[in-house]
């Protein structure tokens, strides 16, 4: 006896579909990592957002171009802004402002709330931003110096601190590479590199800060040492005596010049300890009132040490004052200034110590108590507070080698931000691997002879008895917790086990920095494990082509563009197998295929060529790839001996002038509960359910058209095509296909030909449904066939080729949709939801399919029969109701992709979004009909049953007595 | 005699249409299994890209290598030895006895050929006499635009034009009924 699936589907369609994230579910079923990206050493600092208050915030402009303020006490993000890429960030000392320079623009931000105060864009690219310090306080907002590279030439602009307007401009006539700008209040210095790549001399131009006119210029010979801009270690910030420093070729000496003093190039020897020096960093205070001291931190392979130098302002001499002894391992040094005092904080694996720049006496020392999982310290910023005469406190925000951002407060770990998780490029769901032992035992018992199986089973049960006391002990707690706990789905943190509802799953996330994370969706997306799969060179991104999780073995395979791959155990993050990039051919894409030896992830080389494959691993089905010129090809594997050779079966080229921008197919898990749609007159339209549908998007930039082609991936036949005119092809054009329908979204203009009719320009979403025939209760050319072939002749007499009957409707939507995907549930009975990423409002919306129904009656109210089938009147605009926003109040930035997977409950689909941020939630598009919500009061149910039980127990004897009495008394 | 007339009447639209079939293209086929096999012309299609009417000017059942199972169908350029259009594949069984092929020609919005596909179906002589190969034309459709609401029309006084409510039958002709009733009442009282 099976419950008819159609009946269930009908019941579900009558249920009201939820459009809402319920208030009591928000922040409980969803999780969100507000990430920034990796903080950069030169753009991270503590700063007082309100100059009159002591409290500071931690500011950073990350490698992903996210500008953010973090509360140093809690580690929570106070505000964030997404800028265009990496850049420069400076705090305006004494004012509640931070200034950023990214891409072409310079922007000033209110340090307290992150609102933009002003922004100004120019033609060139920002090379440096500096705050122009004033001699006296109270001269109004401090001006900003912004260095640009315009057509290979340096341009320096002084921008007014209040408005961002240009005060003066300085154009360098030579084609020298602009490096940095610096100032010592009296003068402005533009440092540029003269020469060609591979050997540069350093040119310092001195400008008058009031007029921007060049006063002086000198060149420092550094051709043998400086090969690239990165070789210049430091161009001193706004200290009283700005310096420029670089190391010689062999890293034996440090060359230092006081900016503005052309004659003084001093050579400071770098002391070696434990072999060659591998890294030198210079730390100097940034405040104008700070003492002119700096620290040189040298790393050898196994240890690190530091020297502190003082600059004599009168003579311009640089003298070594003292040194910090060598300590094993890696360490981070950071500078902190308080009034004129400068403190250096040295953090190594074992201890944190602070020294004053003036003398070598250690002011404070704490042992480091930080989780070893974070790895070694790479760089950090520190804030030293003098609490008493000689008591100090220090907190430092340090980036570790495992890409965590850790706050170390007096040696103890205060908070950790998993910033390495930002910049995710690929993710995939994975089931938590179950212990297979019981299943194996049961299977073994089934195959052995009955007697031995019986004995084995008895033994197993006796063996299981040892767990009984524990089970009985735990039983009251389990009952109590299930009654008292409001959330039925909560589970113990830390325990990675499957739950009865299928909400606990793993997400494997790969980031652009070559790191892989395993997250537990059941415990608010907590990081279960992490590993550095590959070292990605700076400036490059790991291009992950595909992740495939083999649920039978619990192993995830991640394939990258340079032929690299890594096999990771999904439960532990242990690497089973690894291939470094460059050893195997380039990969254009990767596809999960089914072969005679089981499913696997097939890498497809350049120009859509998967190459020859051993025949036992050859895909069973056709493969759809994109060729050299973007054309879509259908590949078939022909077995030749032990090898399977790909043959191009068919090719699809769009109409002339169009280029293919996107090719999508139905999701791998796309079950269909009902094969037809019931019309109001109780007839049925049969769905066109081909598993081989491919939707191709082609655009023509010159003709401003977007054309969508629906192909059969087996035969390559064009089943349907539709075109839009007046499309802005620079705006996102996204599409999704599932079941018997597809949707796409684009920006379309008013066409001159439709001038007579009311028309509109804006973002549109178009939904199309495919049916087997335009006549109800008729399957058209497919007749009564259960199966049909795209290639073989049809057995239905005189049938035409089976082309779908398509009905479409277009709606206007208020904003652009950058990505679309569809929810997935176990049986497909639950109505699907379209998950759309909205970039401009940093959110994800779930649009129910009932709204996106092309059968909605246009220009009239639905008849009662239509209303019964869930149809309601067509409205040309779909308003993005805040109740449909899955991210509710959260701001999820930089979402690249949204992936969905079914839970065990039919009502629920798990959703995970990644990009810069990570967000996950559960959606129940047809309401959670198979699980009790939080509002269900188990206490009152238990109390009612108990009360009734008491009532029965009390009344029972009374009634019995009365009945007996009644009999006796009447008789 | 009658039958002939009906036949002529049936053919008339086809004959009339053939005069405005302004475009034509030749469809070629090739065996998929090996690229060395020759590309052979299969049919010539005459069509009209605006009315989407089409007919087969010629159709030659190909002589196929018995080993070939899959055939590539498309528009071929003999001059450059390359496929001009998108190609699709079909089974060699499509040309077997007892089956009749249908060609589907896909056109873009301007009437250019995107691709050709071919699919056969069993011939049932009981239903039709038309056993020959057929042709069908698909054209890229213009996508629907949002069905916007009509603009609000105001009267010269700046008010919404009130729709005139249609009077019911009774409201219009109540006096007829009244007259009838009066007649009936006054006519009463026959000699008793």
């Amino acid at each position: 006896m099976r419950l008819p699936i159609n009946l269930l589907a009908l019941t579900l369609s009558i249920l009201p579909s939820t459009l809402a994230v319920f208030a009591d579910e928000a922040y409980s079923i969803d999780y969100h990592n507000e990430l920034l990206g990796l903080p950069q050493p030169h753009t991270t600092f503590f700063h007082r957002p309100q100059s009159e208050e002591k409290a500071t915030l931690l500011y950073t402009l990350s490698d992903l171009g996210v500008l953010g303020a973090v509360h140093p006490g809690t580690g929570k993000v106070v505000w964030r802004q997404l800028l265009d890429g990496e850049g420069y960030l400076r705090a305006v000392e004494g004012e509640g402002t931070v200034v950023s320079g990214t891409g072409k623009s310079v922007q000033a931000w209110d340090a307290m709330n992150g609102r933009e105060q002003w922004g100004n864009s120019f033609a060139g690219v920002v090379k440096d931003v500096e705050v122009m310090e004033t001699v006296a306080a109270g001269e109004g907002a401090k001006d900003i110096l912004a260095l640009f590279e315009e057509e290979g030439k340096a341009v320096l602009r002084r921008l007014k601190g209040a408005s961002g307007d240009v005060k003066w401009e300085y154009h360098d006539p030579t084609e020298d590479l602009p490096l940095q700008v610096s100032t010592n209040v009296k003068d402005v210095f533009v440092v540029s590199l003269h020469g060609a790549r591979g050997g540069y001399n350093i040119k310092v131009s001195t400008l008058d800060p009031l007029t921007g006119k060049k006063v002086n210029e000198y060149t420092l010979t550094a051709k043998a040492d400086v090969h690239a801009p990165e070789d210049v270690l430091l161009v001193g910030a706004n200290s009283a005596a700005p310096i420029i420093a670089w190391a010689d070729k062999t890293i034996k000496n440090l060359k230092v010049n006081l900016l503005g003093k052309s004659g003084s190039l001093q050579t400071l020897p770098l002391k070696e300890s434990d072999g060659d020096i591998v890294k030198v960093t210079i730390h100097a205070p940034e405040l104008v009132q700070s003492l002119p001291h700096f620290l040189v931190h040298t790393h050898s392979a196994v240890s690190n040490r530091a020297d502190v130098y003082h600059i004599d302002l009168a003579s311009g001499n640089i003298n070594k004052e003292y040194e910090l002894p060598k300590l094993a391992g890696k360490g981070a040094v950071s500078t902190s200034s308080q009034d004129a005092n400068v403190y250096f904080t040295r953090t190594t694996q074992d201890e944190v110590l602070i020294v004053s720049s003036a003398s070598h006496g250690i002011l404070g020392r704490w042992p480091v108590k930080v989780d070893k999982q974070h790895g070694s310290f790479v760089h950090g910023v520190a804030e030293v507070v003098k609490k008493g005469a000689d008591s100090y406190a220090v907190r430092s925000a340090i980036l570790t080698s495992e890409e965590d951002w850790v706050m170390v407060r007096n040696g103890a770990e205060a908070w950790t931000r998993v910033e390495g998780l930002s910049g995710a490029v690929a993710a995939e769901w994975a089931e938590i691997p179950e212990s297979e032992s019981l299943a194996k035992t049961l299977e073994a018992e089934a195959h052995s002879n009955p007697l031995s199986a019986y004995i084995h089973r008895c033994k197993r049960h006796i063996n299981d008895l040892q767990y009984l006391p524990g089970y009985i002990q735990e039983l009251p707690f389990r009952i109590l917790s299930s009654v008292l706990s409001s959330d039925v789905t909560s589970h113990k943190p830390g325990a990675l086990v499957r739950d009865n509802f299928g909400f606990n799953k793993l997400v494997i996330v790969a980031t652009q920095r070559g790191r892989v994370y395993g997250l537990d969706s059941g415990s608010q997306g907590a990081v279960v494990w992490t590993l550095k799969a590959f070292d990605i060179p700076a400036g490059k991104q790991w291009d992950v082509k595909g992740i495939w999780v083999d649920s039978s073995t619990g192993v995830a395979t991640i394939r990258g563009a340079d032929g690299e791959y890594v096999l990771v155990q999904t439960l532990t993050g242990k690497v089973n197998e690894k291939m470094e990039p460059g050893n195997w051919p380039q990969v254009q894409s990767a596809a999960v295929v089914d072969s005679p030896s089981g499913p696997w992830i097939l890498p497809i080389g350049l120009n859509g060529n998967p190459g020859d494959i051993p025949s036992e691993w050859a895909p069973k089905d056709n493969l759809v790839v994109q060729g050299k010129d973007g054309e879509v090809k259908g590949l078939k594997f022909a077995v030749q001996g032990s090898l399977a050779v790909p043959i191009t079966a068919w090719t699809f080229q769009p109409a002339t002038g169009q280029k293919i921008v996107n090719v999508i197919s139905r999701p791998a898990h796309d079950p269909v509960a009902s094969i037809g749609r019931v019309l109001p007159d109780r007839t049925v339209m049969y769905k066109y359910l081909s598993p081989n549908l491919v939707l191709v998007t082609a655009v023509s930039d010159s003709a401003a058209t977007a054309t969508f082609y629906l192909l059969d991936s087996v035969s390559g036949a064009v089943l349907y095509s539709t075109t839009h005119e007046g499309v802005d092809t620079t705006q996102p054009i996204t599409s999704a296909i599932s079941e018997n329908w597809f949707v796409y979204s684009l920006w379309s203009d008013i066409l001159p030909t439709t001038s007579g009719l009311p028309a509109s320009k804006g973002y549109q979403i178009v939904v199309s449904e495919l049916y087997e025939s335009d006549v109800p209760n008729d399957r058209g050319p497919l007749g009564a066939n259960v199966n049909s072939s795209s290639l073989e002749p049809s057995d239905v007499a005189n049938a035409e080729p089976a082309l779908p009957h398509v009905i479409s409707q277009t709606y206007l939507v208020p904003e652009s949709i950058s990505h679309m995907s569809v929810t997935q549930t176990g049986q497909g009975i639950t109505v699907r939801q379209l998950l759309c990423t909205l970039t401009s409002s940093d959110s994800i919306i779930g649009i129910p399919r009932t709204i996106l129904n092309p059968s909605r009656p246009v220009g009239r109210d639905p008849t009662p029969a239509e209303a019964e089938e869930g149809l309601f009147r067509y409205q040309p605009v779909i308003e993005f109701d805040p109740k449909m926003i899955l991210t509710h109040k959260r701001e999820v930035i930089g979402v690249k992709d949204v992936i969905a997977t079914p839970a065990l409950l039919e009502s629920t689909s798990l959703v995970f979004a990644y990009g810069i941020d990570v967000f996950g939630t559960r959606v129940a598009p047809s309401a959670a009909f198979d699980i009790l919500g939080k509002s269900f009061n188990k206490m009152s149910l238990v109390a009612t049953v108990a009360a009734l039980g008491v009532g029965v127990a009390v009344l029972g004897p009374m009634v019995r007595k009365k009945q007996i009495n009644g009999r006796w008394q009447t008789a | 005699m009658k039958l002939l007339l009906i036949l002529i009447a049936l053919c008339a639209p086809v004959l009339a249409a053939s005069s405005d079939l302004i475009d034509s293209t030749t469809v070629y086929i090739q065996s998929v299994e090996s690229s060395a096999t020759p590309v052979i012309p299969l049919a010539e299609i005459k069509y009209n890209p605006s009315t989407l009417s089409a007919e087969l000017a010629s159709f030659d059942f190909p002589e196929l290598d018995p080993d070939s199972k899959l055939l590539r169908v498309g528009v071929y350029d003999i001059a450059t030895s390359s496929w001009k259009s998108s190609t699709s594949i079909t089974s060699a069984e499509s040309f077997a006895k007892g089956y009749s092929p249908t060609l589907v020609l896909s056109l873009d919005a301007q009437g250019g050929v995107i691709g050709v596909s071919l699919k056969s179906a069993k011939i049932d002589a009981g239903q039709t006499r038309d056993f020959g190969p057929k042709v069908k034309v698909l054209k890229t459709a213009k996508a629907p635009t949002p069905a916007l609401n009509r603009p609000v029309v105001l009267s010269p006084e700046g008010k919404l034009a009130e729709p005139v409510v249609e009077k019911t039958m009774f409201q219009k002709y109540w006096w007829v009924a009244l007259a009838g009733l009066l007649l009936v009442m006054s006519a009463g009282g026959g000699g008793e």
Side-chain angles (χ1 to χ4, degrees):
Chain A
M1 172 65 201
R2 239 182 93 192
L3 186 69
I5 215 161
N6 291 343
L7 191 69
L8 192 53
L10 183 73
T11 329
L12 288 187
S13 65
I14 295 166
L15 278 172
S17 69
T18 45
L19 303 178
V21 178
F22 292 110
D24 60 342
E25 287 186 337
Y27 299 102
S28 133
I29 61 164
D30 51 12
Y31 50 90
H32 176 207
N33 284 20
E34 277 187 292
L35 297 170
L36 301 162
L38 295 193
Q40 299 296 294
H42 59 283
T43 58
T44 307
F45 47 79
F46 286 95
H47 175 60
R48 285 184 191 171
Q50 287 164 319
S51 49
E52 61 274 17
E53 302 245 343
K54 280 248 161 104
T56 55
L57 290 178
L58 183 53
Y59 296 87
T60 188
L61 176 59
S62 74
D63 61 338
L64 301 174
V66 181
L67 167 62
V70 173
H71 193 280
T74 60
K76 293 269 185 308
V77 167
V78 181
W79 55 266
R80 287 190 300 174
Q81 295 283 356
L82 182 56
L83 311 181
D84 45 353
E86 279 185 83
Y88 305 88
L89 185 71
R90 296 283 179 270
V92 184
E93 215 48 56
E95 291 172 29
T97 309
V98 288
V99 179
S100 71
T102 51
K104 291 169 178 289
S105 52
V106 180
Q107 286 156 301
W109 309 91
D110 188 317
M112 198 64 215
N113 53 31
R115 295 206 175 107
E116 187 178 7
Q117 289 173 338
W118 51 260
N120 206 343
S121 290
F122 300 95
V125 179
V126 179
K127 285 301 202 182
D128 194 17
V129 173
E130 207 59 73
V131 178
M132 184 76 215
E133 293 292 343
T134 46
V135 186
E139 285 183 15
K142 288 175 188 169
D143 288 353
I144 307 301
L145 295 168
L147 183 66
F148 291 85
E149 184 181 348
E150 281 183 29
E151 294 164 354
K153 291 179 183 175
V155 178
L156 183 73
R157 293 187 175 91
R158 181 171 174 164
L159 308 177
K160 285 181 193 162
S163 62
D165 294 339
V166 177
K167 213 169 208 170
W168 50 254
E169 276 186 349
Y170 163 72
H171 287 261
D172 189 349
T174 60
E175 296 216 334
D176 291 341
L177 193 68
L179 184 72
Q180 280 200 15
V181 58
S182 192
T183 165
N184 66 354
V185 185
K186 292 202 303 293
D187 295 302
V188 172
F189 305 103
V190 176
V191 180
S192 44
L193 297 180
H194 177 77
R197 197 169 175 87
Y200 287 110
N201 284 331
I202 294 166
K203 189 177 85 177
V204 180
S205 311
T206 312
L207 309 182
D208 178 31
L210 291 175
T211 60
K213 294 276 184 303
K214 188 157 83 181
V215 178
N216 190 10
E217 186 176 281
Y218 66 95
T219 305
L220 301 164
T221 314
K223 222 164 198 164
D225 307 326
V226 176
H227 305 289
E230 300 83 61
D231 290 342
V232 178
L233 293 171
L234 177 91
V235 178
N238 276 345
S239 58
I243 54 166
I244 177 165
W246 68 94
D248 66 6
K249 209 167 146 192
T250 52
I251 325 186
K252 293 271 192 285
N253 293 296
L254 198 69
K255 304 271 182 75
V256 183
N257 168 244
L258 253 76
L259 286 178
K261 297 202 185 230
S262 56
S264 79
L265 182 60
Q266 303 190 35
T267 303
L268 312 173
L270 292 168
K271 203 165 146 189
E272 278 184 14
S273 61
D274 299 331
D276 287 343
I277 294 167
V278 291
K279 196 175 115 189
V280 182
T281 49
I282 301 176
H283 301 272
E286 304 230 330
L287 298 185
V288 70
Q289 70 269 26
S290 303
L291 292 168
H293 303 164
F294 65 92
L295 178 143
V296 180
H297 188 205
T298 51
H299 272 102
S300 74
V302 291
S303 66
N304 70 91
R305 57 180 300 287
D307 303 293
V308 175
Y309 292 90
H310 287 186
I311 304 169
D312 186 349
L313 283 179
S315 65
N317 284 335
I318 300 170
N319 301 311
K320 183 160 159 183
E321 191 66 21
Y322 64 93
E323 58 186 66
L324 295 175
K326 141 188 127 172
L327 287 172
K330 285 187 176 145
V333 170
S334 36
T335 319
S336 166
S337 340
Q338 204 177 21
D339 304 323
N341 296 323
V342 178
Y343 302 102
F344 296 117
T345 309
R346 188 178 187 193
T347 314
T348 61
Q349 294 318 104
D350 305 315
E351 61 177 358
V352 179
L353 41 93
I354 48 175
V355 289
S356 164
S357 66
S359 71
H360 67 277
I362 289 171
L363 302 177
R365 181 195 281 260
W366 296 271
V368 167
K369 292 189 282 281
V370 172
D371 198 339
K372 290 279 175 263
Q373 283 181 352
H374 300 310
S376 59
F377 300 132
V378 179
H379 62 78
V381 287
E383 191 183 38
V384 176
V385 180
K386 189 174 183 178
K387 290 203 291 198
D390 34 76
S391 83
Y392 292 85
V394 62
R395 53 184 177 184
S396 21
I398 303 175
L399 184 73
T400 67
S401 59
E402 295 291 301
E403 293 173 359
D404 293 331
W405 203 21
V406 185
M407 174 62 89
V408 182
R409 191 186 295 138
N410 295 340
E413 180 178 336
W415 48 258
T416 304
R417 295 180 56 85
V418 191
E419 292 299 345
L421 191 54
S422 62
V425 286
E428 187 58 274
W429 288 98
E431 292 284 350
I432 295 171
E434 217 168 14
S435 69
E436 303 283 323
S437 58
L438 181 63
K440 272 181 193 157
T441 321
L442 289 176
E443 200 178 346
E445 280 174 14
H447 288 292
S448 55
N449 76 60
L451 183 68
S452 65
Y454 182 75
I455 293 166
H456 186 269
R457 186 171 165 177
C458 285
K459 274 188 191 162
R460 180 162 59 83
H461 284 188
I462 291 163
N463 188 39
D464 281 350
L465 276 180
Q466 60 173 314
Y467 304 111
L468 188 66
Y471 179 79
I472 292 170
Q473 264 182 351
E474 206 183 288
L475 208 58
F477 294 103
R478 277 176 57 171
I479 293 170
L480 265 182
S481 66
S482 76
V483 170
L484 294 176
S485 145
S486 54
D487 189 2
V488 283
T489 58
S490 66
H491 77 127
K492 276 180 280 177
L496 200 60
V497 281
R498 289 192 189 186
D499 62 334
N500 294 334
F501 307 114
F503 295 162
N504 290 1
K505 289 198 182 189
L506 287 166
V507 194
I508 314 296
V509 181
T511 72
Q512 63 179 51
R513 305 181 199 92
R515 191 164 270 284
V516 183
Y517 285 86
L519 307 182
D520 178 12
S521 74
S523 54
Q524 300 274 307
V527 175
V528 182
W529 51 261
T530 170
L531 74 108
K532 185 93 181 172
F534 299 103
D535 287 316
I536 307 297
K540 282 202 174 165
Q541 296 186 1
W542 190 19
D543 190 1
V544 178
K545 292 299 183 187
I547 303 180
W548 173 61
V549 179
D550 187 351
S551 52
S552 62
T553 57
V555 171
T557 310
I558 306 171
R559 280 199 174 271
D562 289 328
E564 73 273 24
Y565 66 82
V566 59
L567 269 65
V568 183
Q569 290 179 13
T570 55
L571 194 61
T572 58
K574 283 210 183 79
V575 173
N576 279 7
E577 199 184 323
K578 191 160 138 178
M579 174 66 72
E580 290 294 328
N583 295 339
W584 277 27
Q586 295 265 308
V587 175
Q588 171 183 296
S589 57
V592 178
V593 294
D594 199 10
S595 73
S597 309
W600 65 295
I601 185 160
L602 165 70
I604 295 158
L606 294 183
N607 303 334
N609 181 15
D612 297 353
I613 297 168
S615 57
E616 65 268 26
W617 290 101
K620 287 175 180 168
D621 305 311
N622 275 17
L623 208 60
V624 178
V625 297
Q626 273 194 281
K628 192 168 65 181
D629 305 318
E631 79 276 14
V632 180
K633 293 196 287 190
L635 301 185
K636 218 184 131 53
F637 282 86
V639 176
Q640 293 175 358
S642 65
L643 284 181
V645 181
I647 296 174
T648 305
W650 53 264
T651 313
F652 170 77
Q653 299 158 335
T656 38
Q658 296 178 351
K659 68 168 193 289
I660 292 172
V661 291
N662 196 11
V663 182
I664 56 165
S665 64
R666 283 176 59 182
H669 175 84
D670 193 21
V672 176
S674 164
I675 57 160
R677 189 171 69 81
V678 180
L679 298 184
D681 59 357
R682 299 293 175 270
T683 54
V684 173
M685 292 277 275
Y686 289 102
K687 293 176 183 172
Y688 189 89
L689 294 168
S690 166
N692 306 316
L693 294 179
V694 171
L695 184 69
V696 178
T697 309
V699 297
S700 167
D701 296 333
S702 56
T705 59
T707 313
F708 297 84
Y709 300 93
L710 191 70
L711 308 183
D712 182 321
S713 66
V714 173
S715 70
V718 180
L719 299 174
Y720 172 75
S721 57
T722 180
T723 183
H724 284 260
E725 291 172 16
V727 176
D728 185 350
T729 52
T730 57
Q731 301 254 25
I733 299 175
T734 52
S735 52
I737 182 167
S738 175
E739 215 180 344
N740 70 320
W741 53 276
F742 60 87
V743 279
Y744 52 84
S745 146
L746 41 76
W747 190 93
S748 175
D749 203 350
I750 298 175
L751 298 173
T753 48
T754 54
S755 54
L757 290 164
S760 63
K761 64 165 86 181
Y763 296 103
Q764 296 184 353
I765 189 163
V766 183
V767 57
S768 302
E769 283 183 354
L770 313 171
Y771 292 100
E772 288 182 347
S773 124
D774 54 348
V775 185
N777 285 349
D778 178 55
R779 293 195 61 201
L782 292 168
N785 283 353
V786 179
N787 291 314
S788 67
S789 165
S790 301
L791 303 174
E792 301 298 328
S794 163
D795 281 334
V796 178
N798 309 326
E800 288 194 332
L803 297 170
H805 166 64
V806 182
I807 51 172
S808 308
Q809 254 176 11
T810 306
Y811 302 87
L812 292 164
V813 287
E815 39 180 312
S816 88
I817 295 168
S818 62
H819 181 266
M820 279 181 182
S821 56
V822 182
T823 58
Q824 297 182 5
T825 57
Q827 309 290 324
I829 300 169
T830 302
V831 178
R832 284 165 171 80
Q833 232 178 42
L834 186 71
L835 304 170
C836 301
T837 307
L838 311 175
T839 320
S840 52
S841 54
D842 294 334
S843 55
I844 298 163
I845 191 170
I847 307 176
R849 259 279 283 156
T850 40
I851 294 181
L852 292 169
N853 187 341
S855 311
R856 285 170 63 178
V858 179
R860 62 177 176 84
D861 283 325
T863 61
E866 280 174 335
E868 221 170 277
E869 290 303 329
L871 294 175
F872 50 101
R873 187 178 174 149
Y874 172 89
Q875 296 292 341
V877 180
I878 296 178
E879 289 294 347
F880 286 168
D881 189 333
K883 282 186 296 218
M884 298 199 296
I885 306 275
L886 301 178
T887 50
H888 50 93
K889 281 183 176 170
R890 298 183 191 273
E891 282 195 353
V892 185
I893 60 168
V895 174
K896 265 177 83 104
D897 192 10
V898 180
I899 52 173
T901 188
L904 284 179
L905 292 179
E906 169 55 30
S907 68
T908 309
S909 174
L910 305 183
V911 174
F912 184 79
Y914 60 91
I916 292 176
D917 277 6
V918 157
F919 172 80
T921 187
R922 305 198 291 262
V923 291
S926 297
F929 55 81
D930 46 8
I931 188 168
L932 292 173
K934 268 188 171 180
S935 54
F936 185 81
N937 194 340
K938 285 188 207 158
M939 254 338 253
S940 78
L941 180 73
V942 171
T944 312
V945 170
L948 285 173
V950 169
V952 167
V954 171
L955 289 174
M958 286 169 68
V959 170
R960 212 174 302 128
K961 194 177 172 190
K962 195 182 173 190
Q963 278 177 343
I964 292 167
N965 282 349
R967 283 200 187 160
W968 276 105
Q969 279 162 6
T970 50
Chain B
M1 189 64 209
K2 233 180 192 173
L3 198 73
L4 192 70
L5 273 174
I6 291 168
L7 254 180
I8 290 168
L10 277 175
C11 292
V14 177
L15 293 173
S18 64
S19 59
D20 54 29
L21 300 177
I22 45 177
D23 284 353
S24 76
T25 188
T26 311
V27 178
Y28 290 78
I29 60 167
Q30 184 194 24
S31 171
V32 167
E33 274 81 6
S34 86
S35 52
T37 51
V39 183
I40 45 177
L42 176 74
E44 195 189 347
I45 304 172
K46 284 188 171 170
Y47 62 95
N48 184 324
S50 39
T51 62
L52 301 190
S53 54
E55 64 169 32
L56 283 168
S58 67
F59 189 94
D60 306 315
F61 274 92
E63 285 177 16
L64 295 168
D65 185 2
D67 289 345
S68 63
K69 292 200 178 65
L70 291 176
L71 301 168
R72 193 178 286 130
V73 186
V75 179
Y76 194 75
D77 189 354
I78 294 173
T80 61
S81 314
S82 61
W83 292 95
K84 264 202 296 192
S85 75
S86 303
T87 55
S88 67
I89 54 171
T90 188
S91 164
E93 281 290 299
S94 300
F95 300 108
K97 272 216 177 88
Y99 293 110
S100 153
T102 305
L103 284 162
V104 179
L105 183 68
S106 303
L107 303 180
D108 64 16
Q110 283 76 41
V113 177
I114 301 171
V116 187
S117 62
L118 189 146
K119 181 94 196 278
S120 285
K122 199 166 77 180
I123 298 170
D124 184 359
Q127 288 183 11
T128 176
R129 295 275 112 194
D130 185 14
F131 301 145
K134 292 185 277 287
V135 64
K136 204 174 163 174
V137 180
L138 274 186
K139 195 175 170 183
T140 300
K142 229 175 230 176
T145 51
L148 297 182
N149 298 331
R150 295 283 155 179
V152 176
V153 181
L154 294 179
S155 68
E157 292 84 48
K159 284 180 185 159
L160 275 178
E162 288 273 336
V164 185
V165 181
E166 187 84 359
K167 282 181 179 171
T168 61
M169 196 73 152
F170 185 74
Q171 282 172 328
K172 273 183 185 169
Y173 302 109
W174 59 272
W175 49 273
V176 181
L178 192 69
L181 195 70
L182 278 174
L183 269 176
V184 169
M185 282 173 75
S186 59
E192 217 157 292

